[in-house]
Amino acid sequence: MPSPDSLAPDPHADVLVSPGYLAGPGDSRSIFNTLDLASSWTKTIAFGTDTYYTSPCQRVRVANPMESFYGGWTISYAEDPLGVPDWITTFDRNTPHEIVAAFTKPLVDGLRNNFADYLSGGRHYTGISPASLTARHRWDPVHGSRPFRTVSPDGHAAYQMGVGWLHEYDELLTPEKSTWRMSAGTDPVYTPSWQAFFSRYTPQHLITASTTAFTDPTPVPRALDQIPDRHRSLVAITREATARPNPRAAAALARSTQAQATHVPPSPAAPTALAGHAGSRRQR
């Protein structure tokens, strides 16, 4: 594994880091941009540091309180804007921004029709579940664990689901009691570097969107000094310049491939495998 020092003497140099769940929180501008550009949402800055957003229907509230216990982002939904939230999701301050952004984008896009496009029969419905994503990327289920969890192949990320009865207000008041949790770090279960919590009635398509980013093996961009020191020995780091193909080389390769195609007959297409996906959970 390349040493960061050998890759770039400049601590601010842009690099690509894999896996993304160990890359550090990174730049949160993509999250702010989604919310800032959301039509008719209101934005409030409190105490000079904390940012709050409210949807035009008043049902969704998003908070980015810098000095709170979790920091990061807390998102709540209440069918009755003046009532107890139906669900709450919390991303702590160290959660990679890609995971948060993956949640907020469909949240904003789908709220206008109460997520109908993402439910069965909707144009954005996929039928993909978080469990099918972890299975696709060969995460290992930990048999007999309570709560039930699956762990990434490198052992540094975990996705867990609570089992047994829990009063819904308990998880609304205490994120650690939430039905679903994502975490990563040298020991993602007991001493995680970051955690994200999803209460029971969080829409499945939103959890799935975050899980897609969480399990994606594609390297993510970071400045070298944004990678947590405790993760340096656990990640693969590549210069951005060397990771991106040279445009001229790519064009030459395309021409070469096209030329070869005129002389070499195409091989028969392999049969396509069809994967079954679990259906979505009932929305509240």
Side-chain angles (χ1 to χ4, degrees), residues 230-243:
R230 59 187 176 279
H231 295 169
R232 291 295 180 97
S233 64
L234 306 176
V235 297
I237 303 173
T238 310
R239 288 181 187 270
E240 274 206 354
T242 59

Side-chain angles (χ1 to χ4, degrees), residues 38 53 61 64 103 131 148 195 202 207 222 235 247 255 261 268 279:
Y53 294 90
R61 288 174 168 77
N64 179 233
F103 187 99
F148 173 77
Q195 301 178 86
T202 305
I207 304 176
R222 290 289 188 275
V235 297
R255 290 194 298 270

